[in-house]
Amino acid sequence: LDLGVELDQLKGRAVLDLRPEELQVLEDGEPVRLLALEPGLGPAESPPVAGTIGTGAERVPVGSHSWRVVVYVSTELAGRFVLPTLCRRAADEATRLTDLGPVEIVLADPTPTLVTEAGRQPEAVRQSMELLASDSSGVTTVEQIRNAFVREFKPGAGFDQRYTITQSSPATYAARARASVHRERTVIRGELDRMVAWMQSQPPTARGLLVWMTGGFDLNPADFYIPLVEQIDSGLAQTLRMDYPTLSLKDDVRQMVEVALAMGWTVLPVNSSRATFMYG
């Protein structure tokens, strides 16, 4: 390997930013193409504990590298109807999660906080998740924003009869829709920013699995509001459509993923639309 540096300068320090094109690998004296790099454990780190995944005849040995598993619970994006379901799913998966590696449970809101360090004890994971499920209450901020918006309007029926057209004109309604979209974006971006800050505050990991418990959210919040505004005035809805690309959260999600990859995390979102955990 030609690292471009003197090996004695490294002295066992982790090299976290190497790319495949920076390494030259020879096979029988001929250079070969290196497709990818997989970080390994540094000399100062403890050797991982080997284990198995699955149950009964399906149990297979895991590799020599253990994962650092964090169940990251976003209560801001999973309200009282969704969070209990997600937590109970995690409790059902406790054994599989602890087979992968030591498990920590982090509550994301209002500030990411370690609430349980369960290690490899499935029962500790189950108890913590069931406690979170029983303690969940209230609706999320996004739900509150949407509830406030639709209070004056019933899809398919026009304005609520309690209001006259002068009290709540179509133009005012469209303005409220735009404001609600921006409020939703602010809430979700804040949640993503907290996740990014938490990952950056952690030491880089060779194999990190972040199980992100979220009720899910619209990549573009305008998707919820445009059909409602369209029922009043298609022209007013068109103004929202013109701004549609700038209202997307795609870049914010991409930034979160890039930080995760750089810090060694694989993010596994678990939302209310999935009946089972999905392992990538």
Side-chain angles (χ1 to χ4, degrees), residues 14-27:
V15 181
L16 302 175
D17 58 350
L18 283 177
R19 298 188 300 273
E21 59 268 24
E22 294 179 308
L23 299 178
Q24 184 182 54
V25 180
L26 302 179
E27 182 177 336

Side-chain angles (χ1 to χ4, degrees), residues 18-21 23 25 32-39:
L18 283 177
R19 298 188 300 273
E21 59 268 24
L23 299 178
V25 180
V32 295
R33 183 184 176 198
L34 190 62
L35 296 177
L37 294 175
E38 180 178 335

Side-chain angles (χ1 to χ4, degrees), residues 11-162:
K11 297 293 184 183
R13 290 184 290 116
V15 181
L16 302 175
D17 58 350
L18 283 177
R19 298 188 300 273
E21 59 268 24
E22 294 179 308
L23 299 178
Q24 184 182 54
V25 180
L26 302 179
E27 182 177 336
D28 296 330
E30 296 295 326
V32 295
R33 183 184 176 198
L34 190 62
L35 296 177
L37 294 175
E38 180 178 335
L41 293 175
E45 298 184 57
S46 302
V49 180
T52 56
I53 297 178
T55 57
E58 297 179 354
R59 290 179 74 85
V60 295
V62 240
S64 58
H65 289 14
S66 174
W67 289 78
R68 179 187 173 192
V69 182
V70 172
V71 179
Y72 189 91
V73 185
S74 287
T75 53
E76 184 59 71
L77 298 178
R80 63 185 176 192
F81 302 112
V82 173
L83 190 58
T85 301
L86 297 181
C87 289
R88 291 187 183 105
R89 284 185 198 155
D92 292 341
E93 295 290 327
T95 300
R96 291 182 70 183
L97 291 173
T98 53
D99 276 345
L100 292 171
V103 175
E104 305 161 51
I105 299 173
V106 172
L107 201 57
D109 309 297
T111 301
T113 304
L114 177 66
V115 294
T116 303
E117 200 163 2
R120 290 181 175 271
Q121 304 171 42
E123 191 55 36
V125 175
R126 274 190 285 269
Q127 289 178 359
S128 295
M129 299 313 299
E130 288 169 359
L131 181 62
L132 282 174
S134 64
D135 195 41
S136 60
S137 61
V139 297
T140 68
T141 305
V142 169
E143 289 171 331
Q144 291 172 349
I145 293 170
R146 293 186 174 188
N147 289 344
F149 177 76
V150 299
R151 194 170 292 128
E152 300 176 24
F153 179 72
K154 296 178 181 178
F159 285 102
D160 191 302
Q161 293 303 310
R162 294 172 298 171

Side-chain angles (χ1 to χ4, degrees), residues 149 159 169-180 229 232-233 236-237 239-240:
F149 177 76
F159 285 102
S169 68
T172 300
Y173 195 78
R176 289 180 182 176
R178 187 186 302 275
S180 296
V229 176
I232 293 181
D233 189 315
L236 293 172
T239 62
L240 269 180

Side-chain angles (χ1 to χ4, degrees), residues 82-280:
V82 173
L83 190 58
T85 301
L86 297 181
C87 289
R88 291 187 183 105
R89 284 185 198 155
D92 292 341
E93 295 290 327
T95 300
R96 291 182 70 183
L97 291 173
T98 53
D99 276 345
L100 292 171
V103 175
E104 305 161 51
I105 299 173
V106 172
L107 201 57
D109 309 297
T111 301
T113 304
L114 177 66
V115 294
T116 303
E117 200 163 2
R120 290 181 175 271
Q121 304 171 42
E123 191 55 36
V125 175
R126 274 190 285 269
Q127 289 178 359
S128 295
M129 299 313 299
E130 288 169 359
L131 181 62
L132 282 174
S134 64
D135 195 41
S136 60
S137 61
V139 297
T140 68
T141 305
V142 169
E143 289 171 331
Q144 291 172 349
I145 293 170
R146 293 186 174 188
N147 289 344
F149 177 76
V150 299
R151 194 170 292 128
E152 300 176 24
F153 179 72
K154 296 178 181 178
F159 285 102
D160 191 302
Q161 293 303 310
R162 294 172 298 171
Y163 298 87
T164 66
I165 198 68
T166 55
Q167 289 174 306
S168 191
S169 68
T172 300
Y173 195 78
R176 289 180 182 176
R178 187 186 302 275
S180 296
V181 170
H182 284 288
R183 289 178 64 197
E184 277 197 36
R185 291 182 75 250
T186 299
V187 170
I188 298 168
R189 291 178 74 179
E191 190 72 11
L192 293 172
D193 287 345
R194 281 191 290 275
M195 178 183 284
V196 166
W198 180 85
M199 287 189 291
Q200 291 176 330
S201 72
Q202 303 296 301
T205 177
R207 293 164 71 87
L209 178 64
L210 194 70
V211 182
W212 186 20
M213 310 283 281
T214 167
F217 56 89
D218 289 327
L219 195 59
N220 195 321
D223 286 335
F224 175 79
Y225 296 91
I226 287 176
L228 300 181
V229 176
E230 210 158 38
Q231 293 182 53
I232 293 181
D233 189 315
S234 58
L236 293 172
Q238 188 61 29
T239 62
L240 269 180
R241 292 189 185 279
M242 290 172 60
D243 293 341
Y244 189 84
T246 65
L247 299 174
S248 173
L249 291 157
K250 188 182 301 182
D251 289 341
D252 301 277
V253 173
R254 183 180 292 114
Q255 178 192 4
M256 180 272 288
V257 172
E258 289 174 352
V259 171
L261 292 174
M263 302 299 291
W265 292 98
T266 296
V267 179
L268 173 66
V270 181
N271 61 49
S272 56
S273 65
R274 296 204 170 172
T276 60
F277 266 46
M278 303 294 288
Y279 287 87

